[in-house]
Every structure is written in structure tokens, then in C-alpha cells.
Amino acid sequence: MHGMTRRTMAWAAALFLMAAGCGDASTAQGPILVGEFGSLTGSEATFGQSTHNGIMLAIDEINASGGIAGRPLEVKTYDDEGKTQQAGTVVTRLVTQDKVVAILGEVASSLSIAGGRVAQQYGVPMISPSSTNAAVTEIGDKIFRVCFIDAFQGYVVARFATENLGARKVAVLYDQSAAYSKGLKDDFGKALTGMGGTVVTEAAYEKGASDFSAQLTAIRDLSPDAIFIPGYYTDVGNIALQARKLGMTVPLLGGDGWDSSKLAEIGGEAIEGAYYSNHYAPEETRPAVQKFVTAYQAKFGSVPDGLAALGYDAAHILADAMKRSPDLSGPALAQAIAATKDFPGVTGSITIDPQRNASKPAVMVQMKGGRPTWVATISPP
Ligand code: PHE
């Protein structure tokens, strides 16, 4: 250090700081840490598992093609067990301990709301792959989603019920503990009424209940043309079993919350023929879908569901925004995500609107031989 002037010493210190990764994001080195929270266990376990697979497939692709300006993405994943309180806890951990630059999650809207409040509070951008309740992105300017919202999903199911099934009188059976279920029930009712139909009853159940016979017998007495059940797959499978046991043969309709390989495992014959709305169908011939289905099957040995497709799209959209962002600070990254336009996703072309939502077509599928089978694609009105 003897011969060094003051100025050269200052330069040496600055270079040292940069090399040590203490500079801004553009000079930092090493992996970029992204957080993920999801239900890897519990009654919605396939939601978290499928989403995680989709995310990891995307991360592999992103890293194989050079990462973000040469830096690989690394994912830190926590299981929230499908519990609201746990969702808040693990997002706090991602932000304060792991210091992730962005968060991917959740699936269930109630959990995205719980985790999203924490992410917003700390200014860390969060992208929900699949939460469809309006309140999720209303939390604030750091919370985004890459899926459609329930106002549209309610319209899709109402239109399908009216036009394809000729249903006029529809009974609704919903999960009163889930923001998703309550919201979708309302959106469906509004849409159906607007199309000249009637909701003949709104019966409620509690998530995880074992006996739905009181609600189902009350519904049977009203002899509706269809029953709409905006719930999650475990409850829906059990409801279908009990409805058929009560001799009810009326068509059953649902939303994206049915999307799980477990639905047919639980519901068996009772769920055959039932319809639900979803974000994509693996049979779609669009090149983005076929490329994804092939890569996913090669890696995981199963056909990807809608959650896997949305997790994959969410991770790719985050990486795309990181590449466009001047740095990885919360405000800059949120702005880059907000500017996402015409991104060619597996679940359709994705543009983030001023409310931080995406607008794209939905598919209606029918359970046939234990598998969801494409029936119709319905675009936003
Ligand atoms: N849309 C559901 C919710 O908001 C979650 C979900 C999405 C479930 C896609 C299955 C498939 O709670």
C-alpha cells in the first residue's frame, strides 16, 4: 500500500466492493434467489406440487440459456401446508431471512392474499401463477398474476351451462372458508342471471367436511338443471360421491379448483361426465403447449395439469422481466413485470393490464375415463 496515492486507494476499495458483490444488481455475481410458497402437503397438495414442477422446468430452461445476464436463478421453496397463517409466516421468512428478489405463489387465493400482504409490505414483487380472486392483486402495486380472474371464469361457466347444457335453474354449493369459492359463486351468479338463468339456492359447506348430505338433499328437492360447485378437488370429489349415492344424476359443474389428478382418484365414477373451466388443456395444438407438454413429460413422467402450466408461465414471465429491468430492486422489477406485453405463454398470450391481471381465454373440460378432456375454448367477451 506504500506507494499508493489517496485516489488509487479509493479505486482499489471500490473495485473490491464490486468484486465482492456489494454493488448494485448489475454488477452483482452469483445466483439470483427467487422465493416460492405453496401447498406441498395438505388437502390441496397437488396444487403446490404441480406448480413447483412447472416452475422448476422453467428455471432449468432459463439457466440453460444463460440465466439473467449470466447469473443463474435459484429457487427457495417453502411448504405452507395449505394454511393461511403459514403462508404469511413463510413469505416473511423468504423476505427477511432469505432476502429473495421476487416471489412466486400461491395457488389458492386465500393464501395468496395472506402472503401477498407481506410481500407488498416489504416491497418485494410477487407473481401468483393461478390465484383468480379479484382481491389478490388489489393488495397493491407489487402483486401480479398471470391467470385470468373469477369475473371471467364465472362468465365462462355460466355461458357453458346456458348455451351448451341448456341449463336455466342452477344450484350452487360453495366452500365458505375460501375467498376463491365465495367470489366465484358471486361472479357465476351475476353472469347466469345476466343470461336469463336463475340460481335456485346457494348452499355452503366447510372445507374438509365429511358429510354433505343435508345440503345435497335440499338441492335435490329443488330439482335444478345443474349444480355448480366452485370448490377444491378433495371436497368436490367427496361431494360428487355423495350426490350420486343420493341418486342425483344432474350435471356437475366446477371451476379451476377441480384441476387435480386426485379428483378422479377420489370421485371415481361419480365425477365422470362433470365439466369444469380451466387455464389450458394438454391436447391444445398450439406449439407452446405441445413443446411444454413434451418437456414436462420427459422430466416428470406425467401429463402436466393447469397448475404446472401456470407455474411454468409465471417463472418465465419473471425471468423475462428481470432481463428487461435495469436492476433487481423491488420498484424496478415490479415496473418491468407490469410492462409484460404479448408474452407467448403455454396458457395463452399474456399481457399484464393496469390492474396487474392477465386476460386470456379459458377452456371447458369434461371428465372422461378419469381424465379432463377438452370440450370448448371461451374467449373474454
Ligand atoms: N384459482 C384458484 C384460486 O384462486 C386456484 C387454482 C387455480 C386451482 C388453477 C386449480 C387450478 O383459489
Side-chain angles (χ1 to χ4, degrees):
M1 283 285 187
H2 252 326
M4 273 191 173
T5 63
R6 267 224 188 146
R7 184 183 280 174
T8 51
M9 277 170 66
W11 264 109
L15 282 170
F16 174 77
L17 282 175
M18 277 168 65
C22 303
D24 66 317
S26 55
T27 57
Q29 293 301 314
I32 297 169
L33 197 60
V34 171
E36 179 199 1
F37 70 121
S39 52
L40 297 170
T41 57
S43 54
E44 281 80 59
T46 69
F47 287 175
Q49 294 160 357
S50 290
T51 305
H52 181 69
N53 287 350
I55 289 174
M56 294 322 290
L57 177 60
I59 298 290
D60 285 354
E61 291 175 1
I62 294 156
N63 289 343
S65 64
I68 310 299
R71 298 176 65 191
L73 290 182
E74 198 176 293
V75 184
K76 178 83 194 182
T77 307
Y78 287 118
D79 178 15
D80 60 32
E81 301 159 31
K83 295 178 184 149
T84 320
Q85 207 193 332
Q86 194 61 13
T89 304
V90 297
V91 172
T92 305
R93 196 173 301 151
L94 284 171
V95 173
T96 61
Q97 290 180 19
D98 302 311
K99 307 214 185 305
V100 299
V101 301
I103 296 168
L104 297 170
E106 232 270 5
V107 173
S109 290
S110 296
L111 304 183
S112 281
I113 292 168
R117 288 197 181 121
V118 178
Q120 177 68 33
Q121 184 194 332
Y122 286 100
V124 175
M126 174 177 125
I127 303 177
S128 167
S130 42
S131 287
T132 46
N133 184 269
V136 172
T137 47
E138 285 167 5
I139 291 172
D141 64 350
K142 301 292 184 290
I143 314 299
F144 301 86
R145 79 179 106 215
V146 299
C147 55
F148 52 65
I149 60 171
D150 285 332
F152 173 61
Q153 185 164 209
Y155 158 86
V156 165
V157 183
R159 215 179 115 183
F160 184 81
T162 334
E163 287 178 13
N164 297 55
L165 304 181
R168 314 301 296 164
K169 293 162 51 189
V170 182
V172 175
L173 179 55
Y174 71 100
D175 172 357
Q176 59 185 355
S177 47
Y180 157 73
S181 198
K182 283 188 286 185
L184 184 52
K185 157 192 80 84
D186 291 340
D187 289 321
F188 170 80
K190 256 177 249 164
L192 186 76
T193 311
M195 294 168 197
T198 316
V199 173
V200 291
T201 184
E202 288 183 352
Y205 66 87
E206 204 63 52
K207 175 188 162 106
S210 54
D211 185 5
F212 303 92
S213 57
Q215 294 93 322
L216 287 169
T217 44
I219 288 173
R220 188 180 56 186
D221 291 345
L222 294 165
S223 43
D225 302 325
I227 308 176
F228 178 53
I229 314 167
Y232 295 134
Y233 63 89
T234 300
D235 293 327
V236 171
N238 288 322
I239 289 169
L241 283 174
Q242 293 181 26
R244 298 312 182 211
K245 225 177 249 162
L246 288 166
M248 301 165 77
T249 54
V250 55
L252 305 180
L253 293 165
D256 57 357
W258 288 28
D259 190 28
S260 171
S261 56
K262 295 272 177 223
L263 178 69
E265 271 178 46
I266 299 166
E269 273 298 309
I271 203 72
E272 276 292 296
Y275 300 94
Y276 65 95
S277 53
N278 207 358
H279 302 264
Y280 110 112
E283 310 95 288
E284 287 182 77
T285 51
R286 288 183 289 122
V289 173
Q290 287 317 311
K291 178 179 164 265
F292 165 71
V293 172
T294 306
Y296 189 96
Q297 270 182 313
K299 190 170 165 72
F300 301 108
S302 61
V303 178
D305 59 17
L307 284 318
L310 287 164
Y312 179 85
D313 280 350
H316 269 299
I317 281 186
L318 176 61
D320 176 68
M322 282 176 168
K323 287 177 189 163
R324 285 183 282 105
S325 186
D327 59 66
L328 298 178
S329 68
L333 191 50
Q335 217 171 18
I337 298 168
T340 301
K341 203 173 172 306
D342 303 327
F343 184 91
V346 170
T347 58
S349 172
I350 298 170
T351 295
I352 301 292
D353 70 20
Q355 284 72 48
R356 297 173 297 283
N357 300 322
S359 164
K360 41 197 178 39
V363 297
M364 285 300 298
V365 295
Q366 181 175 33
M367 292 303 292
K368 276 189 191 159
R371 279 177 178 280
T373 313
W374 180 89
V375 182
T377 297
I378 300 181
S379 293

